[in-house]
Amino acid sequence: MSILYRSAFGLAQDIKAGKLSAVTVLEFYLDRIEQFNPGINAVVALDTDRALERAVAADKAAAENEDWGPLHGVPMTIKDAWCTEGLVTVGGIPERRDFIPEKNAVAVQRLVDAGAIIFGKTNVPFMSADLQSFNEIYDVTNNPWNVERTCGGSSGGAAAALASGLTPLELGSDIGGSIRTPSHFNGVFGHKSSYELISKRGHLPPGDKVLSEPDLSCAGPLATCVDDLEQALALLAGPAPDITAHPLPALPTPSFRDASHLRVAVWADDEFCRVDKSIAEHIESAAKTLENLGAHVDRHARPAIDPQANHENYLQILMSVIGADVPEEVRQMARDMVAAADPDDRSEALLQMKGIAMEHRSWIVQNEIRQHTRVAWEAFFRDYDVLLCPCAHVPAFEHDHHPDMQARVIAVNGVERPYTDVLKWAGLTLNAYLPATAVPLGTTADGLPVGMQIASRYLGDRTTLAVARLLETHHRAFVPPPGYND
């Protein structure tokens, strides 16, 4: 029975039914890693012995009709930003090279409680704070579609491992497109959940001892099919199990009954961040598929927000989160740069420094701006069920590890653009805490994957996933990179 690119939850059903052995499935993925991982470096740590012991136990339990849960005996990898009990968790941070957590992150534990076997970790950038996955401990992860290109970040190793068939399911995190951009770059599905729907407790950063949920940052599954996204989200959703967390309302059902009742807004390109023509064309093609299914499609609808102002607001809040633990000398340097700058300077570099230097009263001002943005989005989604827009404005680009991100550039339609523009479409929906499902749409003329994000109102996760399922069925399902479907 085939294992490669099977649904993780389908594998669990076959293991519980005795049609597959958990040991066989684990050995299959270990063999795949031995064969393909040297070329892409997606899986950076293994826990083979303990995983094999748990796989043997899973098979024994299945033989005795003991059901561990919907992921019974399924081996999977985990993004190396999530704490994994007994398995080294580096998070791209040199000082953590030997850190072995004593317990799992809350989200990881939910997967384990559902029967999953965590057998390895996938690569991330330093502190999960880049759009490419490389660090001085585990080096660079390549894109399986073209090893000269990045797999994205920060869930880059996770997406590359899925695309190359090294794991059937992954757990990602997203504060700047870190689920959606790697999904787009590698041709897989990913879901950035509504803010606080999935606990980030035990994620690096902010750290294994931190109890509060970091602003903006969200979690979610990556997979090769929508069914796995939906079932994984059901397992992962919910606050940390203690008094510091507060429950969210149950997720509502999709906001439309069938395609004929679906209201779709399309935002395929914009002057605030011009999009590669091939991406805009693929988004328009997906919109046309939904239109042919009977959906009402509006290509001119926009929320009542200024996207550039939203980006500036998002970038400052983002940097206040990322910069929370920077040394005092870095914070003082940021303060000095802001004080010396022209008050009208809206450059990316200065906005980042403003975020790092931000005091609480300034954060309150920025948060108030963000809340007005959230109200505008909520009004928009009274008239539309979903918005289709880019995950990023470019396909996977060539590796560029210049230590100064501001010195990096990316060519878009033949024009060089700042590297950090990759954050603009990701932040468009993230800043308002909106859920977004990344779906593959096809490839460029030179064979690079293209995807898009499907966004909806806060807690509209099931709506974005329902539209993703329509597109998976009628437009494009997951397609492996050439050479990996063996």
Side-chain angles (χ1 to χ4, degrees):
M1 182 177 290
S2 175
I3 297 172
L4 182 60
Y5 297 122
R6 283 279 307 282
S7 156
F9 292 87
L11 289 172
Q13 290 176 355
D14 286 344
I15 291 170
K16 288 189 283 188
K19 297 177 182 179
L20 275 176
S21 159
V23 171
T24 298
V25 177
L26 174 62
E27 290 175 343
F28 170 84
Y29 285 113
L30 291 173
D31 287 345
R32 290 279 298 184
I33 288 170
E34 183 176 356
Q35 180 181 1
F36 291 106
N37 195 58
I40 55 174
N41 190 40
V43 180
V44 292
L46 291 170
D47 195 8
T48 306
D49 291 342
R50 289 201 309 162
L52 182 58
E53 289 178 8
R54 184 161 162 84
V56 170
D59 286 336
K60 182 176 183 293
E64 297 173 352
N65 294 318
E66 180 185 344
D67 188 345
W68 284 5
L71 286 172
H72 183 123
V74 175
M76 62 177 291
T77 56
I78 293 287
K79 177 181 180 178
D80 194 36
W82 294 98
C83 287
T84 46
E85 178 272 323
L87 176 57
V88 62
T89 301
V90 176
I93 306 168
E95 293 77 14
R96 296 269 187 168
R97 70 173 65 232
D98 299 317
F99 173 56
I100 299 178
E102 296 179 357
K103 64 180 182 179
N104 289 318
V106 169
V108 174
Q109 188 61 50
R110 287 184 175 143
L111 295 169
V112 171
D113 291 343
I117 300 172
I118 310 304
F119 76 95
K121 303 298 284 291
T122 50
N123 206 21
V124 298
F126 171 68
M127 292 186 71
S128 293
D130 202 338
L131 305 167
Q132 303 170 77
S133 292
F134 68 97
N135 59 73
E136 66 178 70
I137 307 302
Y138 292 132
D139 206 11
V140 182
T141 299
N142 300 318
N143 191 311
W145 291 82
N146 182 337
V147 295
E148 301 299 321
R149 306 269 174 158
T150 181
C151 62
S154 62
S155 307
L162 278 166
S164 52
L166 310 185
T167 184
L169 186 66
E170 256 284 357
L171 175 63
S173 51
D174 191 318
I175 196 172
S178 291
I179 289 172
R180 294 159 291 160
T181 300
S183 295
H184 159 61
F185 283 177
N186 293 274
V188 301
F189 292 91
H191 182 72
K192 185 205 80 66
S193 62
S194 295
Y195 179 64
E196 287 194 326
L197 181 61
I198 299 172
S199 174
K200 293 291 297 297
R201 185 81 57 83
H203 185 279
L204 306 179
D208 57 308
K209 305 298 184 184
V210 176
L211 297 182
S212 58
E213 298 286 344
D215 194 5
L216 291 176
S217 188
C218 301
L222 294 91
T224 57
C225 63
V226 175
D227 190 61
D228 279 5
L229 292 185
E230 289 184 328
Q231 294 193 63
L233 181 66
L235 293 175
L236 294 164
D242 58 47
I243 61 171
T244 66
H246 60 85
L248 289 170
L251 288 179
T253 58
S255 61
F256 63 99
R257 293 193 300 276
D258 55 49
S260 66
H261 295 92
L262 176 62
R263 303 163 301 168
V264 180
V266 182
W267 197 348
D269 198 358
D270 196 281
E271 289 184 0
F272 100 99
C273 185
R274 282 299 182 196
V275 175
D276 184 279
K277 291 179 181 177
S278 63
I279 296 174
E281 289 170 358
H282 274 293
I283 293 174
E284 289 290 350
S285 178
K288 186 64 177 176
T289 294
L290 294 175
E291 199 167 38
N292 290 340
L293 291 171
H296 169 72
V297 176
D298 189 332
R299 293 171 174 81
H300 303 288
R302 301 288 184 268
I305 65 170
D306 177 339
Q308 179 59 32
N310 176 81
H311 175 66
E312 294 175 6
N313 174 232
Y314 158 70
L315 194 62
Q316 291 177 78
I317 296 175
L318 171 68
M319 294 310 298
S320 75
V321 177
I322 293 176
D325 294 327
V326 300
E328 178 56 30
E329 57 267 27
V330 175
R331 193 177 306 282
Q332 186 58 52
M333 178 192 70
R335 293 191 195 104
D336 292 343
M337 289 180 65
V338 172
D342 185 324
D344 295 326
D345 187 344
R346 311 303 297 173
S347 66
E348 295 278 313
L350 189 66
L351 288 169
Q352 291 182 29
M353 291 301 102
K354 284 184 175 181
I356 292 174
M358 190 180 294
E359 297 179 355
H360 185 58
R361 60 185 178 183
S362 297
W363 182 89
I364 290 173
V365 172
Q366 293 301 320
N367 185 52
E368 179 66 16
I369 294 171
R370 188 240 309 264
Q371 297 307 326
H372 284 271
T373 299
R374 294 188 68 194
V375 169
W377 277 110
E378 183 61 28
F380 178 77
F381 284 120
R382 295 190 194 111
D383 297 321
Y384 299 93
D385 297 293
V386 294
L387 169 73
L388 312 184
C389 66
C391 295
H393 65 317
V394 287
F397 48 85
E398 293 181 356
H399 299 289
D400 182 354
H401 301 155
H402 193 291
D404 180 7
M405 284 193 195
Q406 302 302 325
R408 303 176 193 170
V409 294
I410 300 173
V412 183
N413 299 323
V415 178
E416 287 192 345
R417 298 271 298 281
Y419 177 79
T420 52
D421 274 9
V422 180
L423 292 169
K424 286 189 171 181
W425 285 101
L428 180 72
T429 52
L430 189 146
N431 199 39
Y433 295 165
L434 306 178
T437 305
V439 297
L441 299 180
T443 57
T444 63
D446 53 353
L448 295 172
V450 170
M452 72 174 178
Q453 57 178 322
I454 306 165
S456 189
R457 61 167 29 95
Y458 181 63
L459 298 180
D461 298 67
R462 288 180 175 166
T463 296
T464 67
L465 288 164
V467 175
R469 185 181 291 277
L470 283 175
L471 289 169
E472 179 185 36
T473 303
H474 300 283
H475 190 74
R476 184 180 175 91
F478 168 74
V479 174
Y484 288 87
N485 196 17
D486 299 326

